[in-house]
Amino acid sequence: MRINVSQQLKASIGSTRKYEVSEFVNVAGGKSMVQGEVGLMRTDRSILAKGTLHTEVEVICSRCLSLFSCPLTLNIEEEYFPIADVVSGASLPLPEEPGCFTIDEHHVIDLTEAIRQCALLAIPMKPLCRGDCAGLCPSCGHNLNQGSCGCSPQETDPRWSALSKLTLASDAVVNEQKGTG
Ligand SMILES: [Zn+2]
Ligand SMILES: [Zn+2]
């Protein structure tokens, strides 16, 4: 998203303009629609872009491995430094922060990269398709969100608890026999 800020660079410090954002941005290999509002504020040395945006990215659930659309809230706050003086055109020194965002010689800022970086950071480390995702059956790999698969439940079903006690008891016998033999 490109915005010409030449007028705002001439405005007084603290002046703010709001812009609607409604754009497709490439995030994590797919295009995501990003929407919201960003305010651009003139500071003594830069234009500060600040706002809250919303988007959704396609990610893989860490529990059931299915692809799903994960909603993200992006809190953007980035400073853009002019590389040229808006009146004289003379080049301006940039701060020594590596990777700082700039306003190009045509006084245009491009929010796309800041939005993309913010979205990447907002993706959860272990995404879940839903809070109570049932995951995959450890025996056959069936997605348990789509119903049970017919394998014996591993735990939690009280009807099976007697059986699991039996199994544990027989395991103990086997171990004892191994121990003595
Ligand atoms: Zn899931
Ligand atoms: Zn199964």
Side-chain angles (χ1 to χ4, degrees):
M1 174 166 183
R2 294 165 64 78
I3 301 171
N4 189 309
V5 293
S6 57
Q7 289 309 308
Q8 206 171 358
L9 284 169
K10 293 172 190 163
S12 56
I13 292 168
S15 68
T16 302
R17 288 189 193 192
K18 289 195 183 297
Y19 293 87
E20 287 291 323
V21 176
S22 185
E23 282 246 321
F24 282 103
V25 175
N26 260 318
V27 183
K31 277 197 182 296
S32 299
M33 181 47 132
V34 178
Q35 289 180 301
E37 196 179 66
V38 167
L40 300 186
M41 188 179 82
R42 174 75 165 118
T43 75
D44 56 346
R45 58 173 195 169
S46 67
I47 297 280
L48 177 66
K50 197 173 170 179
T52 303
L53 305 173
H54 299 277
T55 190
E56 286 190 352
V57 292
E58 293 271 294
V59 294
I60 291 171
C61 175
S62 62
R63 216 178 270 171
C64 71
L65 308 183
S66 60
L67 202 62
F68 73 101
S69 204
C70 179
L72 301 178
T73 299
L74 314 180
N75 292 308
I76 299 273
E77 186 165 350
E78 289 292 348
E79 242 182 313
Y80 287 78
F81 297 92
I83 64 167
D85 186 273
V86 68
V87 180
S88 68
S91 60
L92 294 171
L94 290 175
E96 293 186 359
E97 303 159 31
C100 75
F101 291 107
T102 55
I103 305 169
D104 73 11
E105 67 273 25
H106 306 294
H107 316 299
V108 169
I109 72 172
D110 190 350
L111 292 176
T112 310
E113 181 57 17
I115 293 171
R116 196 186 67 84
Q117 288 182 12
C118 195
L120 283 177
L121 289 174
I123 296 172
M125 298 289 279
K126 291 194 170 182
L128 285 180
C129 61
R130 57 192 214 206
D132 62 348
C133 171
L136 301 177
C137 169
S139 305
C140 72
H142 176 79
N143 185 340
L144 296 173
N145 296 318
Q146 294 160 7
S148 65
C149 54
C151 295
S152 307
Q154 300 280 308
E155 52 185 13
T156 69
D157 189 335
R159 288 171 298 177
W160 292 94
S161 60
L163 185 68
S164 65
K165 269 179 208 143
L166 270 178
T167 315
L168 284 174
S170 61
D171 282 351
V173 171
V174 171
N175 286 337
E176 266 172 35
Q177 282 168 347
K178 272 185 193 158
T180 50

